[in-house]
Amino acid sequence: MITQATIHKVKESKYSVIFPVYEKEDICPNVLERLGYDVSSLIDRKLGAITKIATLGKFDFPYMIFFGMGEEEKLTTKGFRDALGSLFKQLKETAVFNCKHAALKRDGFSEQDIAYYVSESFILSRYQFTKCNAEKKKDTVELQLLSHDDVTEAIQKGMDYSIPVNHARDLSNTPSNLMTPQHLADYAESLANTYNLECTILGNAQLEEIKAGALLGVNQGSALEAKLIVLKYRGNGDEPFTALVGKGLTYDAGGYNLKSSGGKGMKYDMCGGANVLGAMEIIARRKLKANVMVVVPSTENLISGEAYKADDVLVSLSGKTIEVTNTDAEGRLILCDAITYAIQQGAKKVIDIATLTGACMTALGGVFTGLFSNHDGFYEEFMKAATMQDEKCWRLPTDEAYVKLLKESSVADLVNSVAGSAGASIGACFLEQFVEEGVEWIHLDIAGNADFKTEQPRGPKGATGVMVRSMAQLFE
Ligand code: BES
Ligand code: ZN
Ligand code: ZN
C-alpha cells in the first residue's frame, strides 16, 4: 500500500525513513548533530546504492536509509526508476520516502513526477507470482511518501500504471494447464465487468461462421476451443478505434515442426495478449479520452491426429490463402485473422504485439522491443510514448524484397514462413499483408523481452509486462 505521509505521522511512526542523497550533497548538519556522529563518509551516493544507518534511539524511527542518487546532472528517468526498483526490492520494513529531497528543478523531476515514479516502482518491483503456491505470503511492507505538495494524484497515477502490469504478469506467469484460451477469455470478461467495457468472445462455432480459417487452422491440434477475445472502450465519442492486437498463444509446442527444446518457456507465448489486456486496464482506470479495441486471438499450438500440417493451405478471414510451410510460424496465422477482424470492426490504427520470432530475440536480446511500422507519424508518436515510459524499442525494416519471398507459393497467395535469414522482418511483412490501405500499423516483436530468465530491474524473473505502459501512454 502507498499513501502520502504527513510530517506528524512520520514523527510517530516506527518506519524507516529513506533519504535520497545526490553525489555532491552534504547531509543536513541537524541530522548529523542529532545522530551524534558524522555518517557522511559512510554514505554511498552512487545511483541506486543503499546505506542503512541505525538511529539508536536518536530519532523516532529505527533506521535511516540513505539512497544514492548519483550525479544530479546525469540522472535520467530510466536510471531513477531502475534505481528505485533495486531499493524497493531490498526493503524489509515499511518506510517513508522523502520525495521533496529527490526533486530537482528540471523537467521530469518535480515532486509530482518523483511521487509517480516512486509509487509505480514500488508496486512493480515488489511483484511476486504466488498463484501456484499453497502458502501465499502477503507483502506487509508499506510505503509512505513525504512531500511538500499534495501528491495524491501522482500516487494514484503510479498505481494505475503498475497494478495492470502486474495483472498482465500474473496472466503470463500462469502455466498453460491453468491459463487456457477459456481462462484468458474469462479474465477479459471480468475486466469488462469491472470497467464497464464491451466484451465479445468468439468460440470455434462463431469463428467458423465468420471464416477465420487461419486461427482455426492453428487450433486444429488442440483439444481446447480457440477464442477470439474482443474488448471495446469508448472514451472519445465516435472517433475511429485504435486496435491493440495481442498474440494469445497459451502454449507453443511448434506443431508438427515440433520445438526441439520441448517448448520450455512457451507458456509465455501469450504475453502479447496479456499485455494488451494490461494496457486496456490502464486506459480504463485512467478514463482516457480515446476509443480503443483489444483483440486477442487465443489457442494452443500442439500436435494430434487433427493438427494442421506443413503443406496445408488455410483460407484466412481476409480471404487470402496461406500455404503452411512451417507449423511453428503460428503466431502470424492467428494474428492475421485478428488484424482483419479489428479492421472489419472499424479500427483505423492497429498495434499488434507478439512473441513472434526467435530471430528478433537473437537480434535485440532482452534489451529492445523490435518495432515495425508502415507510417512514420504513428511510429514517432509511439516512440514518444515509449520514451516517456522508459521502454526501449528499435525500428527494423519491412521491405518489398521480403514480401516477394512470402509470395513465392505455388499453391496459395502467401507462405507463412521463409527458411533462412531476416526472420523478424519476414514475420512483420507477413502481418503487413493483412493491414488494409489507409490503416496505420505498428508491429511489436517482444520475443526477447516478454519474459526474463533472470531478475529484471523492476521485477523478478518471469513475465515482464513489457510495453503495457507504453501502449497506454499513447492515449494520454
Ligand atoms: N513463439 C515463437 C517465437 C519465440 C521463440 C518466442 C523464442 C520466444 C522465444 C514463434 O511462434 C516461433 O516459433 N517462431 C518461429 C518462426 C519460424 C518458424 C519462421 C521462429 O522464430 O523460429
Ligand atoms: Zn511457433
Ligand atoms: Zn509462438
Side-chain angles (χ1 to χ4, degrees):
M1 204 180 70
I2 307 171
T3 48
Q4 178 161 5
T6 62
I7 308 271
H8 174 70
K9 263 200 212 148
V10 176
K11 277 197 171 158
E12 282 191 289
S13 75
K14 299 260 183 314
Y15 300 167
S16 287
V17 176
I18 301 166
F19 286 99
V21 49
Y22 285 99
E23 196 75 54
K24 293 188 187 101
E25 190 179 334
D26 291 328
I27 308 300
C28 169
N30 296 342
V31 172
L32 297 182
E33 196 180 318
R34 189 154 164 199
L35 268 178
Y37 66 110
D38 188 351
V39 293
S40 303
S41 60
L42 300 177
I43 297 167
D44 187 346
R45 293 166 167 82
K46 276 198 296 297
L47 182 59
I50 289 166
T51 314
K52 195 168 174 178
I53 306 275
T55 58
L56 303 173
K58 303 283 173 47
F59 284 86
D60 300 332
F61 43 89
Y63 296 104
M64 273 179 182
I65 298 175
F66 290 97
F67 173 52
M69 298 283 285
E71 288 178 49
E72 214 178 289
E73 318 75 56
K74 289 194 182 152
L75 188 66
T76 61
T77 53
K78 174 150 176 54
F80 182 50
R81 278 169 152 156
D82 288 352
L84 287 171
S86 79
L87 167 70
F88 293 141
K89 275 186 200 173
Q90 292 176 58
L91 218 54
K92 293 197 175 52
E93 64 277 313
T94 289
V96 178
F97 189 97
N98 193 329
C99 289
K100 59 182 182 193
H101 217 100
L104 292 174
K105 282 192 185 61
R106 75 172 145 102
D107 259 9
F109 289 95
S110 69
E111 259 196 6
Q112 312 285 345
D113 297 325
I114 300 282
Y116 162 55
Y117 302 139
V118 166
S119 139
E120 183 187 83
S121 298
F122 181 74
I123 293 169
L124 288 178
S125 53
R126 294 195 70 83
Y127 167 79
Q128 293 295 334
F129 178 65
T130 56
K131 202 168 156 182
C132 294
N133 295 88
E135 281 178 41
K136 294 184 177 63
K137 287 195 205 92
K138 200 174 171 295
D139 188 1
T140 53
V141 171
E142 291 180 12
L143 187 70
Q144 292 200 347
L145 272 64
L146 187 62
S147 63
H148 240 97
D149 306 340
D150 180 358
V151 293
T152 333
E153 262 180 42
I155 292 175
Q156 187 57 46
K157 182 177 174 193
M159 286 164 51
D160 289 342
Y161 264 86
S162 54
I163 291 170
V165 174
N166 287 351
H167 289 163
R169 288 169 168 180
D170 264 345
L171 292 173
S172 303
N173 286 327
T174 305
S176 70
N177 59 329
L178 305 175
M179 187 46 62
T180 61
Q182 180 68 58
H183 278 91
L184 204 55
D186 291 345
Y187 175 81
E189 212 172 336
S190 70
L191 213 57
N193 291 336
T194 309
Y195 295 104
N196 209 13
L197 309 168
E198 293 168 39
C199 177
T200 310
I201 314 276
L202 282 71
N204 281 22
Q206 291 110 314
L207 291 168
E208 271 156 30
E209 224 166 89
I210 65 168
K211 299 194 168 65
L215 170 56
L216 285 169
V218 176
N219 178 248
Q220 277 171 220
S222 170
L224 308 173
E225 273 203 20
K227 301 286 171 195
L228 187 70
I229 302 164
V230 187
L231 293 179
K232 284 180 187 161
Y233 166 85
R234 286 177 207 270
N236 197 20
D238 45 16
E239 173 207 67
F241 276 100
T242 298
L244 304 177
V245 179
K247 175 178 176 183
L249 214 285
T250 57
Y251 193 77
D252 186 10
Y256 277 106
N257 291 98
L258 200 56
K259 285 193 182 296
S260 54
S261 62
K264 181 120 181 51
M266 282 301 145
K267 68 171 183 180
Y268 291 117
D269 218 15
M270 39 61 74
C271 283
N275 294 2
V276 293
L277 290 171
M280 183 59 120
E281 190 180 358
I282 299 177
I283 292 162
R285 283 175 78 109
R286 290 187 55 72
K287 299 191 173 67
L288 297 182
K289 202 163 173 269
N291 287 346
V292 185
M293 179 194 316
V294 150
V295 183
V296 179
S298 185
T299 178
E300 303 171 312
N301 185 24
L302 304 179
I303 53 174
S304 85
E306 286 170 83
Y308 81 142
K309 308 168 293 298
D311 295 349
D312 286 358
V313 173
L314 307 175
V315 185
S316 67
L317 178 59
S318 71
K320 282 192 201 315
T321 57
I322 306 160
E323 177 189 354
V324 178
T325 44
N326 191 319
T327 59
D328 200 8
E330 84 300 334
R332 60 200 72 181
L333 294 174
I334 69 170
L335 284 167
C336 72
D337 277 356
I339 291 171
T340 302
Y341 185 87
I343 296 171
Q344 285 178 352
Q345 291 289 310
K348 288 283 176 268
K349 291 183 177 188
V350 174
I351 298 177
D352 78 73
I353 173 165
T355 44
L356 203 74
T357 65
C360 192
M361 182 164 67
T362 305
L364 304 173
V367 180
F368 289 90
T369 292
L371 186 154
F372 303 79
S373 181
N374 67 353
H375 191 280
D376 290 347
F378 194 27
Y379 157 72
E380 273 154 27
E381 220 184 304
F382 189 83
M383 283 305 276
K384 215 168 123 196
T387 306
M388 286 190 76
Q389 287 299 338
D390 290 312
E391 295 195 292
K392 291 189 192 175
C393 300
W394 198 267
R395 191 174 185 177
L396 297 168
T398 55
D399 194 272
E400 272 310 309
Y402 302 128
V403 176
K404 191 164 169 279
L405 300 173
L406 285 163
K407 288 187 174 166
E408 274 170 12
S409 170
S410 49
V411 292
D413 299 322
L414 295 164
V415 291
N416 78 327
S417 86
V418 177
S421 42
S425 287
I426 287 170
C429 286
F430 179 91
L431 295 175
E432 194 179 4
Q433 293 306 300
F434 297 85
V435 179
E436 284 172 25
E437 198 67 33
V439 175
E440 297 173 19
W441 164 77
I442 287 172
H443 160 59
L444 302 170
D445 194 332
I446 54 165
N449 56 4
D451 67 283
F452 276 14
K453 287 183 183 57
T454 51
E455 212 180 307
Q456 13 168 347
R458 294 199 294 170
K461 62 183 176 185
T464 56
V466 70
M467 293 291 128
V468 170
R469 291 177 293 114
S470 297
M471 287 188 283
Q473 177 74 48
L474 189 66
F475 303 100
E476 284 276 349

